Amino acid sequence: MQVGVLPAVTVLVDKDDHPSWTAASHAAHDPVLGRLTVDPSPANGAPAALAHDLLYALGKRLPQGGETYGTWADSQRPALDAVAAWILTHRIGHLIVCRTDHLTTARQQQPLALRERCGIRLSLL
């Protein structure tokens, strides 16, 4: 990658929400090979929800409540910082986000910010 040049963003418009595209996206998920697929939780309106979904897709688990539950987990910025750290640590080079049309505008900006921050290729389905 050239300095200052970001990898491509691919937008796949699937107005019929065909299951084969989702299945292909899920089949592409392989963090060992640098590909991460996330299917965002549609009902979770928390600002850090997409970050939590990304952490889960990376195989990371958040503590379950109680004293061990960090306040960072509910805050968007620290949760996205954790995602960026794990993306870089695992050498993820391609992020695929399914059902992007179901995300709020603010949440749609999060994968774009990760692309800029981590220098990853981004596919939005």
Side-chain angles (χ1 to χ4, degrees):
M1 179 172 73
Q2 297 176 2
V3 176
V5 178
L6 289 172
V9 174
T10 301
V11 178
L12 179 66
V13 179
D14 180 23
K15 65 180 181 142
D16 297 324
D17 205 16
H18 200 278
S20 64
W21 287 109
T22 301
S25 297
H26 287 190
H29 177 81
D30 193 339
V32 172
L33 295 178
R35 289 188 312 266
L36 183 66
T37 299
V38 65
D39 207 340
S41 303
N44 193 338
L50 183 59
H52 292 189
D53 292 334
L54 287 161
L55 288 169
Y56 188 80
L58 284 161
K60 309 304 173 202
R61 303 294 181 263
L62 295 172
Q64 297 295 316
E67 292 179 26
T68 60
Y69 187 76
T71 55
W72 68 270
D74 286 329
S75 301
Q76 179 180 323
R77 176 71 186 249
L80 286 172
D81 287 346
V83 171
W86 283 114
I87 283 175
L88 293 169
T89 298
H90 284 283
R91 299 175 193 255
I92 301 298
H94 187 186
L95 173 60
I96 302 164
V97 183
C98 298
R99 299 181 307 160
T100 309
D101 58 320
H102 294 282
L103 299 175
T104 64
T105 302
R107 211 164 284 149
Q108 288 174 355
Q109 296 301 313
Q110 293 173 6
L112 294 169
L114 285 170
R115 171 183 167 255
E116 290 179 25
R117 187 171 182 184
C118 301
I120 56 176
R121 213 173 119 216
L122 182 60
S123 295
L124 306 173
L125 176 61

